[in-house]
Structure formats: C-alpha cells, structure tokens
Amino acid sequence: MGKVLYTDFEEVEEVINSMMSNPQLKKAVTRTNMYKFWENILPEKFKNKSKPYSMLPGGVMVVACQNPVVAQELSLYKVMLIQKFTPYMKGLNIRVNDLKFDPKKWISIES
C-alpha cells in the first residue's frame, strides 16, 4: 500500500474568512462579543440585569434591562458606559454613539 499525501488542505485563516463571509454567522459572533464586552464595563450590581439587545441605525445600541429601575439607573451612567465601551467596539468595527435602555426587551431575551 502506497503513502497517501494530503496537499489540498485549507489554511485555518481561509476557513475563518470563508465562515465570516456569512452575514448571519458574523452577526452572531459580533453579538456574542458585545455581550462579553458589555459585562466587562458594567458596574457589578448591573451585570445580571442588562444585556445588549440590538443595534439601531446611527450607532444606537439597545440594551435590554431587567426592569425600569435598572434602565433609569443605567441611563445615569450612559456617558461613562459609552466611553468605556468604545475601545471594545472599535475592534468589531462598530460605533456606539448612544445607548437606549429598554425594559420591554428583557422579556424577549428571557423567553
């Protein structure tokens, strides 16, 4: 039996680039990274009470909040959160200009 030589392998970079050309997969990876980064910038008491939900045109990120009180408190931190979030978002080529805190979106995340 002769040796079999495998020479038509794709490089890992090619496979990743091919996968990331799929818009749905790219969106899922970006959203997952947003979740991780969001938890890094939040004050401790809000970590389990809010999550990024979506991006609107103009760089507005919608954040789902557990209740209206959390939404109100986070709105007081808005400027600080945007400043802390910006370096993370640059790596994802996303610009966050504003945050919209919405307690109604929390239900759809938990369902």
Side-chain angles (χ1 to χ4, degrees):
M1 186 172 191
K3 285 186 175 180
V4 177
L5 300 176
Y6 297 98
T7 58
D8 292 340
F9 289 118
E10 288 186 60
E11 292 186 22
V12 173
E13 186 176 332
E14 291 174 20
V15 173
I16 291 172
N17 286 337
S18 173
M19 290 173 55
M20 292 305 288
S21 67
N22 178 333
Q24 292 155 337
L25 181 62
K26 187 173 183 177
K27 183 177 179 180
V29 169
T30 300
R31 181 170 286 175
T32 300
N33 285 330
M34 282 174 51
Y35 287 164
K36 289 178 186 176
F37 297 148
W38 182 250
E39 291 175 3
N40 290 341
I41 68 164
L42 280 179
E44 191 66 36
K45 68 180 183 177
F46 297 114
K47 290 200 180 202
N48 294 322
K49 298 178 181 179
S50 66
K51 295 181 182 182
Y53 182 78
S54 65
M55 289 296 293
L56 298 175
V60 178
M61 186 169 82
V62 178
V63 178
C65 299
Q66 190 176 37
N67 57 53
V69 175
V70 171
Q72 178 63 35
E73 283 194 56
L74 283 174
S75 69
L76 298 173
Y77 290 100
K78 185 188 288 193
V79 173
M80 181 214 45
L81 292 171
I82 292 172
Q83 288 174 346
K84 289 175 85 175
F85 207 43
T86 298
Y88 292 109
M89 295 291 84
K90 281 185 181 177
L92 297 173
N93 292 326
I94 298 173
R95 186 169 182 165
V96 177
N97 297 320
D98 196 11
L99 298 171
K100 178 183 175 189
F101 302 102
D102 191 345
K104 294 175 188 171
K105 302 294 186 201
W106 188 260
I107 296 168
S108 59
I109 285 178
E110 294 297 310
S111 299

